[in-house]
Amino acid sequence: MLGVIRQRVTCRGIPTLTLEQGMRVVASRTFSSSAKEITVREALNSALDEEMSADPRVFLMGEEVGEYQGAYKISKGLLEKYGPDRVVDTPITEAGFTGIGVGAAYYGLKPVIEFMTFNFSMQAIDHIINSAAKSNYMSAGQISVPIVFRGPNGAAAGVGAQHSQCYAAWYGSIPGLKVLAPYSSEDARGLLKAAIRDPDPVVFLENELLYGESFPISAETLDSSFSLPIGKAKIEREGKDVTITAFSKMVGYALQAAGILAKEGISAEVINLRSIRPLDRSTINASVRKTNRLVTVEEGFPQHGVGAEICASVLEDSFEYLDAPVERIAGADVPMPYAANLERMAVPQQRGLATDQVHWPQLPKRYKELKLTKINL
Amino acid sequence: MACSATAQIIQPLSINSARSVDNSGACTKILSPSSFLGSTPRINKKLFAVNKSISSLARRPTIVFAVSSDVVKEKKLKSNSSLSNLLITKEEGLELYEDMYLGRAFEDMCAQMYYRGKMFGFVHLYNGQEAVSTGFIKLLKKEDCVVSTYRDHVHSLSKGVPAREVMSELFGKTTGCCRGQGGSMHMFSKEHNVLGGFAFIGEGIPVATGAAFTSKYKREVFKEDCDEVTLAFFGDGTCNNGQFFECLNMAALWKLPIVFVVENNLWAIGMSHVRATSDPQIWKKGPAFGMPGVHVDGMDVLKVREVAKEAIGRARRGEGPTLVECETYRFRGHSLADPDELRDPAEKAHYATRDPITALKKYIAENKLASEAELKAIDKKIDELVEDAVEFADRSPVPARNQLLENVFADPRGFGIGPDGKYRCEDPKFTEGTAQV
């Protein structure tokens, strides 16, 4: 049973519309004054297309990006339009082609390196961190690396342990990298354009399950010079009782939970982080100072996760304002299982675990008390 | 020692025959394991002459060939060089000599300074291998790129980075080529196109391949007249690393203008090359990927230079990559912290007699290219240059405290948003540093 909730929220005085969707997505229609809707896939494709046509130094490299039109069809049509010199199909050599991208960036081009999933980036992580992130510092500003590493991150559906890890926390700890995690189509378009134009290495963490989701989009977003600032979070929904921070797919879940909490009289503020590094600490802290409670939501492993960093930041800057300890909601502290019911239990869910009355010691304590998981739709 | 480039052409091996017995037999007969240490006589002089006929075979990519350039033993002194067909002119000879002597003097000074405590951390010296650096890099233009490993001081010097800057960088001073932030293992120079300086072995190879990719991209997409070449220097240990093979594949696949230069000094810290490698003849790995593999005596700068000319020429013409294995030797340990106990003193003594600088000196003297006095003048000049570099580095200041937080990003907005909601870099107090150091 899927619920569709329509919210109208204000964010800094600009009316925006957010749409929450059920877990098994059936595209649902919503009505707004700006009318147009595009999927995240189309948003990414159009952003890549526009940036490649604006700057001939931008090129796309990765496995299956060319003739296959992209492993997830993100780069559809680009090979036809720009040719094999600019949309480069590579052999299966992550370390090799990531290094080639870094070398090309050293010497003046602007590569966009696609990983089929970020799990494969582990084969190339030496280049992302040692050759790309650290180079501007090691060369004292002589060699900047205007490269973008993008691809789907986090859990998909039933793909098993080696294809489901979330890398936001790993990359988010490296000085010299910028790490972005878009949620909606507007985020995807704006942040990808900003990433490609940025002179520094950017890790762009998409989500496979969001690719097919549609979000309404304004005319301004469709303009080819649109971009979003890196390092600013977005308050998707304002509230006054509790702050929920999330990124990527979890934003949708948080918004849904906020809707349900609203019926129970709890007004939740949902922050879409957008940028894991640099983390928008000021927005988070300002929000906590207003609401006095914080819940962080992420899909990745709990230890040393993004939520841990947010907790620490809030404790350091807004300790006196907290009325209750910060709560982290994260994936289970286990490699992702394959069985569908186990997989459901290993990531935060919109649906509740209420029917499974089992104690799971790996899950953070007081997980169930927060109603985020007890929701039965 | 006749310093003439020689080559031996092995009959073309068809990939489809997948190492048929007779072909590989021919290989092993001509180049037995002992010949690996550079003692097989040469057969004929044509080095890359086959190259010209190969280009007509471009339509038949399955046929590749391995070319080996051999060392002439000292005893077989066949002085093919007469005054009229010398390999180098006087100016070139003096240039090569000066560059090699600079490398040697600089590295010796580094050792002194390290033991006096002025330099610290990991320092890897290049003594003995100067012929490779000089032989290759002196043929490059300023726009060509060099990518190296942690043994990169001499590559940077040969490429043109001033000795003062390299020495300051080693001392960790703010006047260094990377303002003291890189160190011995991370020499970068945008001006001279030295793209590093990498601590991980094998890391530089894909980066170099990327720079070559950029050259090709500039030609194909920007339609510029770009013939910039990239040289990737790395050692024998790296040739067992996955990234090496990945890049050989892609460079040959896309015909990138790159030369892969293997500085085979037979030792990877304490691991001997033959103990670590199933097939120690690294040049053979080139043809497996569709590019020529050349073996050359890396203690002889003129031979290296001849091979380099061809390989770089090939890359400039757009014919693709080459794998050059330079058999060389490092006189010191892996780094200044390495006690160097595993190498046989007899081996070290043998290579010490084949010092490339002495060999070039002898060649110049024998062929009356320059007088003893001129060479001595160069020695003196270089010694003074190195002394001056040390003094300059000594009196340079250490980096200011605010330098700690600088240059993390090209776009300083990466420092994020300050507590006042504005970008930190816009804060007038930004460069004073915000960390409690």
Side-chain angles (χ1 to χ4, degrees):
Chain A
M1 207 46 179
L2 302 173
V4 174
I5 301 169
R6 182 169 71 201
Q7 305 281 346
R8 183 171 288 277
V9 301
T10 55
C11 174
R12 309 266 161 111
I14 303 165
T16 49
L17 192 85
T18 52
L19 176 76
E20 290 84 284
Q21 307 221 339
M23 207 166 52
R24 311 275 173 232
V25 174
V26 170
S28 31
R29 295 272 157 251
T30 179
F31 303 96
S32 78
S33 51
S34 38
K36 190 160 175 184
E37 252 185 31
I38 59 173
T39 60
V40 172
R41 181 178 282 123
E42 285 162 22
L44 292 169
N45 185 278
S46 61
L48 274 173
D49 193 356
E50 285 162 22
E51 291 304 305
M52 283 178 80
S53 73
D55 187 347
R57 292 173 297 170
V58 178
F59 69 95
L60 180 62
M61 184 184 254
E63 293 159 7
E64 310 294 7
V65 294
E67 292 189 8
Y68 199 79
Q69 310 293 320
Y72 296 99
K73 309 298 182 220
I74 305 295
S75 52
K76 191 165 177 182
L78 296 181
L79 176 65
E80 258 175 27
K81 202 167 166 186
Y82 297 104
D85 287 317
R86 294 186 67 193
V87 180
V88 183
D89 273 327
T90 62
I92 308 176
T93 49
E94 271 78 13
F97 69 72
T98 307
I100 287 183
V102 173
Y106 275 22
Y107 205 34
L109 299 182
K110 303 189 103 184
V112 177
I113 302 294
E114 175 170 316
F115 292 114
M116 207 178 273
T117 80
F118 261 94
N119 298 276
F120 305 157
S121 76
M122 288 200 284
Q123 301 221 321
I125 200 167
D126 172 39
H127 282 290
I128 299 176
I129 295 176
N130 279 323
S131 313
K134 297 182 183 172
S135 290
N136 202 349
Y137 193 80
M138 286 198 293
S139 69
Q142 291 177 77
I143 312 249
S144 88
V145 191
I147 193 171
V148 176
F149 303 103
R150 49 162 292 270
N153 175 52
V159 290
Q162 294 185 350
H163 283 79
S164 307
Q165 189 167 334
C166 174
Y167 289 87
W170 283 25
Y171 290 123
S173 68
I174 308 295
L177 274 187
K178 295 179 182 170
V179 181
L180 303 175
Y183 163 62
S184 63
S185 305
E186 179 191 333
D187 288 354
R189 242 182 89 81
L191 292 177
L192 186 56
K193 277 165 159 303
I196 294 176
R197 294 176 198 173
D198 197 279
D200 290 306
V202 180
V203 170
F204 194 80
L205 304 170
E206 302 158 3
N207 188 297
E208 191 204 327
L209 297 175
L210 284 178
Y211 282 154
E213 287 204 21
S214 306
F215 294 87
I217 198 155
S218 65
E220 166 192 61
T221 315
L222 290 171
D223 184 65
S224 67
S225 57
F226 173 72
S227 78
L228 289 173
I230 292 181
K232 296 283 308 163
K234 180 181 179 193
I235 299 186
E236 295 279 351
R237 181 198 169 113
E238 286 200 1
K240 50 185 180 40
D241 293 328
V242 63
T243 300
I244 306 178
T245 65
F247 61 93
S248 190
K249 196 168 79 184
M250 294 293 123
V251 176
Y253 290 15
L255 287 167
Q256 173 123 41
I260 291 169
L261 290 169
K263 291 198 197 115
E264 302 178 14
I266 301 172
S267 151
E269 178 149 301
V270 177
I271 299 182
N272 172 3
L273 290 174
R274 281 183 173 172
S275 169
I276 307 294
R277 187 172 183 103
L279 198 55
D280 192 355
R281 296 168 208 277
S282 61
T283 302
I284 298 168
N285 277 289
S287 171
V288 171
R289 289 177 186 209
K290 186 172 74 165
T291 62
N292 306 118
R293 288 160 201 270
L294 176 63
V295 174
T296 68
V297 185
E298 63 187 303
E299 209 179 30
F301 300 136
Q303 188 165 344
H304 307 301
V306 174
E309 176 61 29
I310 296 176
C311 288
S313 170
V314 164
L315 283 176
E316 285 164 10
D317 291 339
S318 313
F319 181 65
E320 305 82 27
Y321 292 84
L322 284 171
D323 284 348
V326 178
E327 187 72 31
R328 294 181 289 170
I329 296 190
D333 203 12
V334 296
M336 184 67 66
Y338 169 67
N341 66 320
L342 293 180
E343 190 184 22
R344 273 198 294 275
M345 290 192 279
V347 283
Q349 292 293 299
Q350 280 179 303
R351 285 174 171 255
L353 296 175
T355 51
D356 303 317
Q357 300 294 333
V358 184
H359 175 58
W360 294 97
Q362 294 99 330
L363 299 174
K365 296 193 197 34
R366 288 177 284 152
Y367 192 132
K368 292 176 182 164
E369 292 168 11
L370 290 166
K371 310 193 189 214
L372 278 166
T373 55
K374 269 198 161 180
I375 298 158
N376 252 330
L377 298 171
Chain B
M1 176 193 321
C3 298
S4 55
T6 56
Q8 164 191 346
I9 295 170
I10 305 201
Q11 53 199 321
L13 300 171
S14 165
I15 281 181
N16 292 335
S17 72
R19 292 200 199 168
S20 55
V21 173
D22 42 333
N23 276 344
S24 52
C27 272
T28 48
K29 231 193 301 181
I30 297 169
L31 287 163
S32 56
S34 65
S35 74
F36 179 66
L37 292 176
S39 56
T40 311
R42 31 91 58 232
I43 292 196
N44 75 48
K45 256 189 145 173
K46 294 202 203 106
L47 176 59
F48 276 87
V50 185
N51 204 13
K52 297 184 183 60
S53 57
I54 280 292
S55 49
S56 64
L57 295 173
R59 294 269 156 244
R60 296 162 63 193
T62 52
I63 299 191
V64 295
F65 61 96
V67 180
S68 170
S69 155
D70 291 300
V71 173
V72 175
K73 260 172 131 164
E74 281 188 87
K75 292 191 183 128
K76 289 187 157 235
L77 207 56
K78 287 187 185 158
S79 223
N80 292 344
S81 54
S82 66
L83 279 167
S84 56
N85 71 343
L86 286 177
L87 288 165
I88 47 171
T89 64
K90 175 177 175 174
E91 291 77 31
E92 288 172 355
L94 292 179
E95 186 194 0
L96 295 178
Y97 180 79
E98 184 174 333
D99 193 54
M100 289 208 289
Y101 191 81
L102 171 62
R104 181 66 60 86
F106 190 92
E107 298 291 71
D108 283 337
M109 184 60 77
C110 283
Q112 262 192 57
M113 292 297 119
Y114 188 85
Y115 294 127
R116 279 197 216 162
K118 304 264 182 80
M119 237 181 253
F120 36 89
F122 287 131
V123 180
H124 305 84
L125 298 181
Y126 202 72
N127 298 50
Q129 298 180 196
E130 294 87 1
V132 180
S133 172
T134 302
F136 270 92
I137 298 181
K138 282 302 169 196
L139 292 169
L140 294 180
K141 303 184 296 202
K142 196 165 187 199
E143 300 81 34
D144 295 323
C145 296
V146 166
V147 179
S148 177
T149 57
Y150 41 75
R151 209 179 291 284
D152 56 352
H153 307 167
V154 178
H155 294 133
S156 312
L157 292 170
S158 291
K159 193 66 176 48
V161 181
R164 278 185 162 193
E165 285 183 22
V166 182
M167 193 59 88
S168 304
E169 182 63 30
L170 293 170
F171 280 33
K173 301 293 175 88
T174 196
T175 46
C177 58
C178 299
R179 295 172 82 201
Q181 288 175 210
S184 162
M185 297 187 285
H186 304 293
M187 294 283 168
F188 288 87
S189 166
K190 193 174 171 77
E191 190 194 335
H192 299 281
N193 287 307
V194 176
L195 299 184
F198 291 98
F200 279 49
I201 62 153
E203 190 178 347
I205 306 176
V207 174
T209 314
F213 182 91
T214 306
S215 299
K216 182 168 177 248
Y217 190 94
K218 284 186 191 172
R219 259 205 317 268
E220 313 275 306
V221 179
F222 297 165
K223 311 287 186 218
E224 277 173 22
D225 200 9
C226 175
D227 64 349
E228 288 148 26
V229 160
T230 306
L231 298 185
F233 290 92
F234 49 94
D236 44 288
T238 311
C239 296
N240 296 323
N241 188 282
Q243 290 179 85
F244 169 62
F245 298 110
E246 290 183 14
C247 290
L248 285 184
N249 178 41
M250 287 192 272
L253 183 66
W254 295 327
K255 286 209 149 120
L256 300 180
I258 183 172
V259 182
F260 295 102
V261 184
V262 184
E263 294 166 329
N264 183 354
N265 56 23
L266 306 177
W267 291 88
I269 307 188
M271 190 64 165
S272 131
H273 178 60
V274 291
R275 268 184 77 206
T277 316
S278 56
D279 185 350
Q281 294 176 313
I282 301 172
W283 59 267
K284 279 207 247 170
K285 299 182 186 185
F289 288 91
M291 70 176 84
V294 189
H295 175 262
V296 67
D297 176 13
M299 301 306 267
D300 182 340
V301 65
L302 297 173
K303 288 207 183 98
V304 172
R305 194 178 151 89
E306 288 303 304
V307 170
K309 267 193 203 158
E310 274 294 340
I312 293 174
R314 234 180 83 84
R316 278 207 214 284
R317 290 189 296 270
E319 289 166 26
T322 314
L323 177 66
V324 181
E325 179 187 354
C326 302
E327 208 190 305
T328 178
Y329 200 77
R330 52 170 164 82
F331 294 157
R332 290 183 180 264
H334 164 73
S335 71
L336 288 173
D338 175 20
D340 196 16
E341 291 159 343
L342 287 174
R343 300 195 298 174
D344 186 9
E347 184 188 71
K348 292 191 222 180
H350 166 72
Y351 279 96
T353 63
R354 299 186 54 214
D355 187 333
I357 296 179
T358 331
L360 183 65
K361 223 172 168 173
K362 197 164 164 220
Y363 181 85
I364 289 177
E366 273 173 10
N367 294 291
K368 305 208 180 19
L369 282 172
S371 66
E372 188 68 30
E374 282 174 312
L375 295 178
K376 279 229 161 8
I378 291 182
D379 287 357
K380 186 159 177 292
K381 178 175 129 191
I382 295 295
D383 287 335
E384 280 169 16
L385 181 76
V386 175
E387 287 280 347
D388 167 71
V390 172
E391 275 163 39
F392 175 76
D394 246 342
R395 62 172 193 263
S396 295
V398 288
R401 285 160 63 101
N402 60 295
Q403 202 182 304
L404 179 68
L405 297 183
E406 285 177 4
N407 291 131
V408 177
F409 286 125
D411 161 17
R413 270 184 288 162
F415 281 112
I417 301 155
D420 58 359
K422 291 201 257 172
Y423 289 116
R424 276 217 169 93
C425 62
E426 288 164 30
D427 184 346
K429 298 177 119 204
F430 178 75
T431 53
E432 285 178 10
T434 52
Q436 299 299 315
V437 287

